[in-house]
């Protein structure tokens, strides 16, 4: 099965346009659709009848009268089909089952341990898909597809995860993940960078708002970014996985952990790796901290220990997190000065770990933004939080319905 099976579900170009307009709204009337599309009444009536008979849209009551008959309201039918969304990241992988309203019906999370090779994960995913289908009494012909948001770099056209860094397990090079899962499940699959799927999810949630230019940054083991402009994802000549993390903050700065990385790169100062490294170094120097109670060997210290100490307001950990957030804010200011997004959505473990990192980073970014206060930017942790990558992978599949 290929993606044409999704795009051909609505074969008519004008029907795709109307369906997309309905999807952007909670409910909308025929009159509003006529005003927005410029189509004739007869054409609009025919298209709405076609979409209704296919089960893609529903009549959802009547709108307020403006003097005549109350208009019929239309909405997307969330139960027309269902979608699987899959996140594959360095620390965890997550599978969600959603309807077309992006309402979550089920989910499963796997920790990406040293044993989680592609073969092992694919087997677990396939088993879990079958379990979810059975649990929710769904047939495979009710499934629109499986979207995957993965650590890059990826080749989204061939559905291949290329050569990602820092996986604990071996074998994550040139993995034809879409082909493997499609053959195993009989469900069309598509792939993109996880940062791209995350911003798709947040953009979909905010589809009724007026933001045209959104920037997303995922701060975790590394730094990943994506941008939406006028509702469309922006792509470079190559997959831009990790490129924001290579932004140079100090030309004679810290040596990157990867031999091919830049000296003084942003992710050497603001990432899970950088924070763990700073905390381990402080322990070895005998700094006073609650971290000493968690591990005997500083090399065993993890970000989870750092978060636990942060929740206890440990002065050393507050210092480490504040310094990392300050560097992150400098990098964020560089992006604002170049891209000028209207809204910036920050996600990932560093953002989810508490308000200190988010507040410090955004305050630093604002102070170093050139056109501030004339240029105002909105910062957000996003409405979907850690669900964004997997939900966005499902949105990517759903969007194929209106793809020409």
């Amino acid at each position: 099965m290929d993606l044409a099976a999704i795009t051909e579900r609505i074969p008519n170009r004008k029907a795709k346009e109307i369906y997309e307009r309905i999807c952007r709204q909670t409910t909308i009337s025929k009159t509003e659709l006529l005003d927005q599309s410029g189509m004739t009444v007869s054409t609009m009536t025919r298209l709405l009848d076609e979409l209704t008979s296919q089960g893609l849209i529903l009549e959802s009551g009547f709108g307020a009268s403006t003097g005549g008959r109350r208009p019929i309201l239309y909405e997307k039918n969330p139960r027309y089909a269902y979608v699987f969304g899959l996140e594959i990241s360095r620390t965890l992988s997550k599978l969600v089952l959603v309807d077309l309203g992006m309402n979550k019906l089920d989910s499963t999370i796997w920790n990406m341990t040293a044993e989680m090779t592609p073969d092992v994960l694919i087997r677990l995913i396939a088993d879990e898909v079958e379990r979810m289908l059975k649990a929710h009494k769904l047939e495979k012909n009710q499934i629109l597809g499986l979207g995957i948001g993965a650590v890059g770099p990826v080749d989204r056209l061939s559905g291949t995860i290329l050569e990602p860094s820092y996986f604990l397990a071996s074998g994550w090079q040139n993995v034809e993940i879409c082909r493997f899962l499609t053959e195993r499940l009989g469900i069309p699959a598509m792939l993109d960078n996880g940062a791209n799927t995350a911003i798709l999810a947040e953009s979909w949630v905010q589809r009724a708002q007026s933001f045209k230019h959104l920037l997303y940054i995922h701060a975790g083991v590394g730094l990943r970014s994506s941008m939406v402009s006028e509702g469309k994802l922006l792509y470079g000549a190559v997959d831009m996985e990790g490129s924001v993390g290579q932004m140079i903050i100090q030309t004679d700065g810290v040596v990157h952990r990867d031999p091919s990385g830049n000296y003084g790169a942003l992710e050497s100062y603001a990432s899970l790796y950088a924070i763990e490294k700073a905390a381990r170094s402080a322990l070895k120097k005998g700094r006073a901290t609650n971290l000493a109670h968690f591990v005997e060997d500083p090399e065993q210290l993890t970000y989870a220990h750092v978060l636990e100490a942060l929740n206890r307001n440990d002065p050393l950990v507050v210092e480490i997190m504040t310094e990392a957030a300050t560097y992150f804010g400098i990098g964020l200011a560089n992006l604002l000065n170049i891209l000028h997004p209207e809204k910036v959505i920050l996600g990932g473990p560093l953002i989810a770990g508490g308000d200190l990192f988010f507040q410090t980073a955004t305050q630093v970014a604002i102070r170093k933004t050139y056109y501030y206060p004339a240029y105002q930017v909105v910062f957000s942790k996003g409405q979907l939080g850690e669900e964004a990558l997997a939900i966005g992978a499902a949105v990517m599949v759903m969007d194929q319905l209106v793809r020409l």
Side-chain angles (χ1 to χ4, degrees):
M1 299 176 70
D2 58 19
L3 297 178
I6 305 174
T7 59
E8 291 172 1
R9 288 197 179 209
I10 308 177
N12 185 301
R13 180 183 61 80
K14 289 186 177 180
K16 287 180 185 287
E17 177 187 338
I18 296 305
Y19 181 70
E20 185 175 20
R21 291 182 184 277
I22 293 172
C23 288
R24 291 179 192 162
Q25 311 292 325
T26 304
T27 59
I28 190 169
S29 69
K30 182 192 291 188
T31 301
E32 291 171 307
L33 289 168
L34 287 167
D35 290 342
Q36 293 175 12
S37 67
M39 295 181 188
T40 65
V41 173
S42 60
T43 298
M44 180 63 66
T45 300
R46 176 176 55 80
L47 294 175
L48 290 172
D49 286 345
E50 287 178 4
L51 292 171
T52 302
S53 64
Q54 285 182 261
L56 284 152
I57 64 173
L58 301 169
E59 294 182 359
S60 60
F62 296 91
S65 173
T66 56
R69 180 183 299 176
R70 294 172 64 193
I72 296 174
L73 298 178
Y74 295 90
E75 66 180 3
K76 176 173 63 176
N77 178 10
R79 302 288 178 174
Y80 166 75
Y82 301 84
V83 190
F84 286 104
L86 175 64
E87 171 190 353
I88 300 178
S89 293
R90 298 178 179 100
T91 56
L92 61 82
S93 288
K94 177 184 298 183
L95 179 71
V96 299
L97 171 64
V98 297
D99 63 19
L100 293 192
M102 294 301 116
N103 302 301
K104 187 173 70 172
L105 281 68
D106 211 332
S107 66
T108 298
I109 295 175
W110 300 278
N111 291 320
M112 296 297 284
T113 64
E115 290 72 40
M116 197 64 80
T117 62
D119 287 344
V120 171
L121 183 61
I122 287 167
R123 184 175 68 251
L124 291 171
I125 292 166
D127 290 346
E128 193 60 16
V129 164
E130 298 292 351
R131 182 199 68 78
M132 289 183 183
L133 291 174
K134 184 177 180 180
H136 297 277
K137 297 180 172 59
L138 297 174
E139 300 295 331
K140 286 189 179 177
N141 61 10
Q142 295 176 271
I143 303 301
L144 200 62
L146 167 67
I148 307 165
V151 172
V154 303
D155 183 337
R156 59 192 178 89
L157 298 180
S158 69
T160 304
I161 299 173
L162 297 175
E163 296 182 352
S165 302
Y166 317 128
F167 270 94
L168 293 177
S170 61
W172 284 98
Q173 289 79 39
N174 300 308
V175 179
E176 297 177 79
I177 190 72
C178 287
R179 180 174 67 82
F180 292 152
L181 286 171
T182 296
E183 290 177 354
R184 187 74 177 262
L185 295 168
I187 296 172
M190 61 186 303
L191 171 71
D192 205 339
N193 190 305
N196 288 340
T197 66
I199 200 171
L200 275 180
E202 295 291 352
S203 181
W204 184 85
V205 169
Q206 301 171 51
R207 61 195 180 282
Q209 300 180 20
S210 59
F211 296 112
K212 294 182 178 180
H213 309 289
L214 300 175
L215 173 67
Y216 175 83
I217 302 178
H218 185 275
V221 174
L223 302 180
R224 304 151 70 183
S225 64
S226 58
M227 191 167 184
V228 164
S229 183
E230 301 287 352
K232 303 295 183 183
L233 271 169
L234 299 183
Y235 289 101
V238 296
D239 186 22
M240 297 181 289
E241 162 69 17
S243 59
V244 66
Q246 290 298 321
M247 181 191 304
I248 298 172
I249 300 299
Q250 287 184 271
T251 55
D252 58 348
V254 175
V255 177
H256 197 274
R257 57 182 153 161
D258 186 332
S260 63
N262 288 325
Y263 277 79
L266 178 59
E267 70 176 24
S268 295
Y269 299 88
S271 62
L272 297 188
Y273 167 82
I275 289 170
E276 289 174 346
K277 182 180 177 183
R280 289 167 185 161
S281 176
L283 270 182
K284 292 174 182 177
K285 292 176 181 177
R287 296 281 302 273
T289 171
N290 287 323
L291 293 173
H293 303 305
F294 301 145
V295 293
E296 294 183 4
D297 180 1
E299 291 302 323
Q300 296 176 342
L301 191 74
T302 66
Y303 182 64
H305 296 131
V306 174
L307 278 186
E308 189 172 344
L310 181 64
N311 291 333
R312 299 182 185 184
N313 206 31
D314 183 272
L316 172 65
V317 172
V318 169
E319 175 188 321
I320 290 171
M321 294 294 286
T322 300
E323 181 174 326
T326 299
Y327 278 113
F328 185 80
I330 292 170
L332 186 54
N334 289 338
L335 292 173
L336 296 180
N337 288 329
I338 295 169
L339 302 173
H340 297 102
E342 294 172 285
K343 185 170 185 176
V344 177
I345 302 166
L346 302 177
L350 283 183
I351 306 303
D355 289 334
L356 174 63
F357 192 94
F358 178 83
Q359 296 294 345
T360 302
T362 53
Q363 288 169 13
V364 169
I366 288 172
R367 289 198 302 269
K368 296 185 179 298
T369 298
Y370 185 65
Y371 287 109
Y372 183 82
Y375 163 50
Q376 293 284 337
V377 61
V378 177
F379 293 102
S380 168
K381 290 186 178 182
Q383 297 184 41
L384 293 171
E386 293 307 291
E387 299 271 88
L389 275 74
I391 295 291
V395 172
M396 174 175 64
V397 173
M398 181 183 68
D399 283 349
Q400 299 304 302
L401 284 171
V402 295
R403 185 64 58 89
L404 297 176

